[in-house]
Amino acid sequence: MSRPSKDAREPRFTPWIVPLRRIFPWWYLVACVVTFAVTLIVDPAVSAAGAFWGPAIGVAIRDRQFTAYRRQGKGLSLSRRDLIGPWWLEPLAALLLTIFFVGISFALGFVFGGTPVSLRWTGVYLMATSLVTFGILLLIIRGRRRNRPNADRTATPSQ
């Protein structure tokens, strides 16, 4: 008995509505590499900051997949631009998360690894700066969303 041809087989079921490459947070991957590089250069004993990026990337993928699922149910476009949001948001979030993760790595390195006190205060400063900037970013995004009509209601269904 021979195997059926490729065309005769049923398509493989995939839970992904859109390809992973369309929703993958590439800026987060770059930020993860930068976080590892900075922490390894400054203090090799404090390289645990990269562990924060796994969940951050996973949550971003899950949220974008859920957005794609909702948009598909409404018949809206599933382009990368529509799923991710403004072009500037992901790079800026990656930058702020990088600063925060490097800061928390320095602070935790002081607690658990015995790094110098100056590195601890640098870590605390980096964390505080990124948190304040992230709060300002959230206020800006909230203000932008209030001042424009809902994109899901005004968008035309895709064909």
Side-chain angles (χ1 to χ4, degrees):
M1 182 174 186
S2 64
R3 289 178 42 169
S5 67
K6 228 180 196 182
D7 297 332
R9 291 186 215 155
E10 290 187 23
R12 194 179 110 200
F13 173 75
T14 177
W16 297 96
I17 294 170
V18 293
L20 181 60
R21 69 181 174 277
R22 189 181 302 171
I23 58 173
F24 191 83
W26 296 105
W27 282 101
Y28 289 2
L29 183 63
V30 170
C32 177
V33 171
V34 169
T35 302
F36 267 125
V38 168
T39 55
L40 286 175
I41 289 170
V42 173
D43 189 4
V46 191
S47 61
F52 295 106
W53 280 110
I57 291 172
V59 167
I61 291 171
R62 185 198 62 201
D63 289 348
R64 291 172 185 178
Q65 187 68 22
F66 182 71
T67 300
Y69 179 76
R70 279 195 349 237
R71 291 182 66 84
Q72 183 186 34
K74 294 179 181 179
L76 300 172
S77 170
L78 297 178
S79 69
R80 179 171 170 83
R81 182 176 184 216
D82 292 331
L83 294 174
I84 291 179
W87 64 269
W88 52 268
L89 185 58
E90 186 174 322
L92 187 57
L95 176 68
L96 292 175
L97 286 172
T98 300
I99 294 169
F100 180 78
F101 290 156
V102 168
I104 201 166
S105 175
F106 290 167
L108 289 176
F110 175 77
V111 173
F112 296 112
T115 57
V117 175
S118 62
L119 202 56
R120 176 191 60 178
W121 288 114
T122 302
V124 170
Y125 174 75
L126 288 173
M127 285 190 308
T129 302
S130 66
L131 287 175
V132 168
T133 308
F134 191 70
I136 292 169
L137 175 65
L138 289 177
L139 291 175
I140 290 171
I141 290 172
R142 186 175 177 188
R144 285 175 48 105
R145 288 200 176 149
R146 279 190 178 167
N147 294 334
R148 67 182 173 96
N150 188 349
D152 287 343
R153 280 189 262 144
T154 60
T156 59
S158 64
Q159 302 194 12

